[in-house]
Every structure is written in C-alpha cells, then in structure tokens.
Amino acid sequence: QVQLVESGGGLVQAGGSLRLSCATSGTGFTINMMAWYRQAPGKQREMVARITSAGTTFYAESVKGRFTISRDNAKNTVYLQMNSLKPEDTGVYYCRMWIFGDDYWGQGTQVTVSS
C-alpha cells in the first residue's frame, strides 16, 4: 500500500517562505507525475504545480515566479519551495503521485499566510 506523507506547512507572514515535502512510504518503483494541489476554505481544490519524471514542470499562473517544484527520485520525494507568499496562498496543500497507473494523495498540510 502506497502512502504519501507531507510536511513543512505552517504559519508565515506575507512575503515569507515555506518549503513543503512529500515522501512515499514504499520503494522499488518509478513515480511518473508528481504534483501539488491546494484547497482554500470554501473553494475547490486546484493544481498548483506538477513535475514529470523527466523534470518538466508546469505551474498555475497564480504561483509562477514564486513557487518551485522539484523532485528527488532516489528518495521518491517531491518538494514545493514557496517564496513571496501571499494571504491568498492560504489553504491545505496536498501532494499527488502517479504510480503504476494509479494516483495517490497525501493527507494534506496546512499553510497559513498572515497579512
């Protein structure tokens, strides 16, 4: 059973930075796409960034130039470096990974940006 464990959320002032991490519990497999999503209170979950196994990245317009997604294939871990944070970045952040044709979600980590 594949499980994803996120860490790195917290409370930060506007303009600050946070780094999220998401690691899988299993080993011995290749992960295709890795991605980060977020869900703000009262809103639908949205994709923030994704990265392919080849390292190609895609970002939502709202975070371009401020967030950076990266991955460590040896550790089956994906990261999200978030800089110049804004109050509208507040929400629960989830990682998602595609493994063997199935996709898996983490439990979510809260990010709160105060103004």
Side-chain angles (χ1 to χ4, degrees):
Q1 179 72 16
V2 175
Q3 290 185 329
L4 309 185
V5 179
E6 298 137 341
S7 60
L11 173 64
V12 65
Q13 289 188 331
S17 298
L18 284 174
R19 188 187 192 217
L20 306 182
S21 299
C22 174
T24 60
S25 58
T27 60
F29 47 76
T30 300
I31 302 171
N32 297 319
M33 190 83 72
M34 295 181 174
W36 286 97
Y37 288 69
R38 69 184 178 190
Q39 188 165 18
K43 294 189 177 181
Q44 286 190 329
R45 192 174 298 188
E46 62 174 353
M47 193 202 68
V48 174
R50 64 175 185 253
I51 183 168
T52 69
S53 56
T56 301
T57 57
F58 176 85
Y59 296 93
E61 283 296 324
S62 59
V63 306
K64 269 185 184 177
R66 301 187 297 121
F67 290 12
T68 302
I69 189 171
S70 61
R71 59 190 287 168
D72 184 332
N73 292 327
K75 296 181 179 179
N76 284 342
T77 300
V78 62
Y79 305 96
L80 186 67
Q81 178 67 43
M82 305 185 292
N83 299 327
S84 302
L85 282 161
K86 305 175 181 180
E88 51 264 43
D89 294 319
T90 294
V92 179
Y93 283 68
Y94 300 89
C95 64
R96 185 182 185 187
M97 297 188 185
W98 285 260
I99 305 170
F100 298 136
D102 292 322
D103 66 303
Y104 299 86
W105 291 86
Q107 81 285 355
T109 184
Q110 177 70 43
V111 171
T112 303
V113 184
S114 63
S115 57

